Each structure stands twice: as structure tokens, then as C-alpha cells.
Amino acid sequence: MARPVIGAREEELVLETLRSGRLSLGSRLGEFESAFGSHLGAEHISAVSSGTAGLHLAIRAAGVEPGDDVVTSPFSFVASANCVLYEGARPVFCDIDARTFNISAEAAADAVTDRTTGLLPVHIFGYPADMPAFDRLAADRALWLVEDTCEALGGVHADGATVGARGNPSVFGFYANKQLTTGEGGAVVSPSAEMKERIDSERNQGRAPDMGWLDHDRLGFNYRLDDLSCALGVAQLERLDEMLAGRARVADLYGEALVDIEGLSLPCADEGGDRRGWFVYVVQLPPGVNRDATVVAMRERGVDTKPYLPAIHLLSFYRERFGHREGEFPVCEDVASRSLALPFFPQLTHAQGEQVVEALRAVIERPA
Ligand SMILES: Cc1ncc(COP(=O)(O)O)c(C=O)c1O
């Protein structure tokens, strides 16, 4: 199923930038940052080369140190745990909530020890994590807090705050499958001008924006986002609301059509005023249904699906490095073993949606 991502406006702005000859550190960077900030309702935005790069810079700015423990989710894309390892700290996992698939502040509190210095909750699949509770936990235990909002553009908390704009450092991702894409890319939302200044410097090899060429006063990285990507981002932002509405429409279509398949669990409905920013549509197969066989049978019917996501602690690298084993986080492991991501993009047509639904119904209700 084709995913037309790039429209005429994207082509126009990218080509204009290409022809300008200013391909990096040009005016598109600031333009994208301020447009993204206006959309989000946040002031201090740093565009970076990926969500992973943004997480790395954000936890450094928040104060992570080698040897620290950081409490985070085992049910996430591996980048949220990996960024902790980049700084010689240790990701400490706790189990997830069976409804939202996010870690709760209570589960996180149980995992906090004397070695813990920070919290890194993830708004998984775009569903808002319980940030008021995480804010309280961080304040009570004097912990820093960084939000992984890579999947949650368009999400809104019950108190009306946009996900990522509550005043904690937060990090968005703009990889090609995201609600908004720059190809590769990401953005850090900083709570203060000082933190933005540090992030802007560290993304550019430790050179502050007001410093001369080849002058560097701190350790930095090359985590810059080039101007072609920023131009793409500016054009995407112009139709972000429309694209988010498209995803919500597809989610409604799936929700209505899949609700009667016995044993199949659908993404949790919005509750208590929290609103999901739709990123993926992930179902939980009925217990006992073979997922690998389901993926193959769906493919034979012309529908691409993916297991999404594996439990991080059971990835071979994490098992070997930290000795993690099955059974540590039972809810996460059950969810991870049954999760299946369906085709999901704003332009998915009604007919394509029906094809997906009929294929899934046939495969689950009449397994080969
Ligand atoms: C929850 C989460 N965290 C971090 C990332 C990392 O973002 P990127 O792939 O842009 O480095 C992603 C991206 O897929 C993600 O889904």
C-alpha cells in the first residue's frame, strides 16, 4: 500500500532551498524551529538530526552522569534506552500499564533507588503518559525528567497541555513513518533559553551560535538538521493538522471494523481527557494466535504488518549486557509478544482499510 508523503509544497520548499545553495545552518533551520514551536505552544526548540540525537542531548542537558541509573520503559523503541548507555549510565526498567502501555509513576517510583538520578518516560504509540504524576515523583525524589515524545506529536494531556509542551525537556522524532517527517530528524523542546543554548551548541560540535567558525568551547556532536530537511519540515507543518486528522480517521475506521473480532485487543480509547496523537495502529492478537504465521498470512493477502514493539530488556544486547531474562516485566512481555502494527498512514483509503480488516478477520477467525 503506497504512502504518498511528499506533496507539491514539500517539493517547492525543498527545491527552493536546494537552489539557494544554503544547504545547512541556513535560514530554514530557524524557520522550522519557530514554526514547530508555534504549533506545539513551546518557545525553545532545537531541530536535530534524529530523535535519538535529541534524546542524547536532552539527557546530557538534564544532568545525567556516568554510573547513574535512569528509570525508563522496556516497551519502547530501543533508542530511549540506548541514549542512557551513550552517557555511561544504566537504563532501569519497570513494567508497563496494561491499558496505556506506558510506565506509570507508581511503577517508576518502585524502581527508584539511591542510584537513580533521572526519569525517562515514553509516550508510547502517542498515548500521553501521566505527566502530572511523573512531575510529582521527580520533585519528591529530586530527579531530572526528560520526556520521550518521539511518537506523540498531536497528543494532548487531560489538563489541556500539548504533549511535549509541559515544561520538561522533551524530544520529538521526525523519521519517515512519523506524524510529521523530515526524512530523518528530530527536535528537542527545552524549558529555558539556557538549555536551548547548550543543546544548540552540542548539536554543532560545541560551537555556540555566536561563536566563530572552528571555535569550540565544549564537547559536542554533529547532530545538526540540514536545511533541506528543515524545508521539508516547514511544508509538512503547514498540513500537520490535516495529516493528524487523517490518522485519526483511519484509527476510527479500524476501531469500528475490528471491534467484534473475538479476543483481539485494540489500542486503548482516550480516557479522562487525555488524547492520543495517532502514530501507529497496533492491535494485540488474541492469546494463542501465532503472530509470525499471521504476518505471513497477511502478506499473502497483500497486507504488510509488523510485530511492534519487542521488549527492550529481552533484546540480545540487553540480555547479555545486563542479564535480563523472561518474566521480569510480565505485562510488557505479554504485550510485546502479541502486538501487530497494521498499515497506518493518513491517506489510507476506506477500501484499503477494508482490505486490511477482512484479511485480519480471515486470518484470525479461520487460521490455516
Ligand atoms: C519512542 C521512540 N523513541 C525514540 C525514537 C528515536 O527516533 P529516531 O529514529 O528519529 O532516532 C523513536 C523513533 O522511532 C521512537 O519511536
Side-chain angles (χ1 to χ4, degrees):
M1 289 177 183
R3 296 173 169 242
V5 178
I6 301 309
R9 182 68 173 150
E10 279 87 344
E11 270 184 37
E12 181 193 336
L13 289 194
V14 172
L15 281 175
E16 210 175 80
T17 307
L18 194 56
R19 288 178 186 133
S20 78
R22 193 69 203 256
L23 303 190
S24 192
L25 292 175
S27 60
R28 290 291 185 203
L29 174 63
E31 186 184 345
F32 177 52
E33 289 175 339
S34 68
F36 186 71
S38 303
H39 198 282
L40 199 67
E43 201 178 340
H44 308 294
I45 310 294
S46 305
V48 289
S49 54
S50 68
T52 309
L55 285 167
H56 187 193
L57 296 182
I59 64 168
R60 279 173 61 85
V64 72
E65 297 279 351
D68 289 353
D69 279 358
V70 177
V71 174
T72 190
S73 177
F75 191 62
S76 174
F77 181 59
V78 69
S80 51
N82 280 351
C83 71
V84 174
L85 293 176
Y86 299 163
E87 287 299 308
R90 187 171 70 122
V92 171
F93 301 115
C94 57
D95 212 348
I96 59 170
D97 178 80
R99 186 181 80 86
T100 66
F101 304 166
N102 289 322
I103 58 169
S104 66
E106 296 87 75
D110 290 343
V112 169
T113 69
D114 292 348
R115 292 184 304 279
T116 310
T117 63
L119 303 172
L120 181 44
V122 180
H123 303 260
I124 202 68
F125 301 163
Y127 197 83
D130 183 2
M131 290 320 299
F134 278 106
D135 286 337
R136 283 194 297 276
L137 175 63
D140 287 351
R141 305 294 293 264
L143 304 170
W144 55 259
L145 179 53
V146 169
E147 299 179 42
D148 181 339
T149 52
C150 281
E151 300 193 351
L153 187 57
V156 182
H157 291 282
D159 60 9
T162 310
V163 170
R166 293 184 63 84
N168 299 312
S170 68
V171 181
F172 288 90
F174 304 137
Y175 178 68
N177 64 347
K178 294 292 194 297
Q179 292 91 327
L180 175 151
T181 186
T182 55
E184 296 282 357
V188 181
V189 183
S190 292
S192 65
E194 294 70 42
M195 187 179 281
K196 173 173 162 55
E197 204 176 297
R198 171 173 174 161
I199 298 219
D200 287 356
S201 163
E202 290 196 358
R203 79 177 162 190
N204 191 22
Q205 300 289 9
R207 175 154 61 96
D210 61 350
M211 285 169 65
W213 185 242
L214 300 185
D215 198 3
H216 308 268
D217 65 355
R218 52 154 49 105
L219 177 67
F221 308 85
N222 178 357
Y223 287 165
R224 294 184 299 266
L225 189 65
D226 64 86
D227 272 42
L228 296 170
S229 302
C230 290
L232 185 51
V234 170
Q236 288 261 293
L237 266 172
E238 288 175 8
R239 59 190 182 96
L240 177 60
D241 290 338
E242 182 195 320
M243 292 192 294
L244 289 171
R247 282 183 193 257
R249 176 190 58 80
V250 178
D252 282 349
L253 186 161
Y254 279 148
E256 280 166 30
L258 293 171
V259 73
D260 64 336
I261 299 185
E262 209 178 311
L264 186 77
S265 303
L266 306 184
C268 71
D270 292 344
E271 207 176 277
D274 286 330
R275 272 208 335 262
R276 188 191 295 270
W278 280 102
F279 164 52
V280 279
Y281 198 92
V282 177
V283 296
Q284 306 289 299
L285 293 175
V289 170
N290 183 313
R291 185 173 56 184
D292 291 343
T294 303
V295 171
V296 173
M298 292 289 283
R299 193 174 304 133
E300 281 164 1
R301 288 169 165 77
V303 178
D304 269 331
T305 56
K306 285 194 180 58
Y308 189 82
L309 296 146
I312 297 176
H313 65 288
L314 297 182
L315 297 174
S316 56
F317 170 68
Y318 276 84
R319 282 177 187 258
E320 283 157 26
R321 176 118 173 220
F322 297 103
H324 288 300
R325 290 288 172 267
E326 275 95 354
E328 276 182 82
F329 307 110
V331 180
C332 167
E333 290 166 28
D334 178 57
V335 168
S337 68
R338 296 196 289 126
S339 289
L340 190 73
L342 305 184
F344 192 66
F345 46 93
Q347 305 84 357
L348 191 119
T349 63
H350 196 84
Q352 286 172 321
E354 280 183 340
Q355 184 192 348
V356 174
V357 169
E358 286 323 309
L360 192 60
R361 186 183 298 283
V363 170
I364 290 179
E365 292 179 350
R366 297 188 294 282

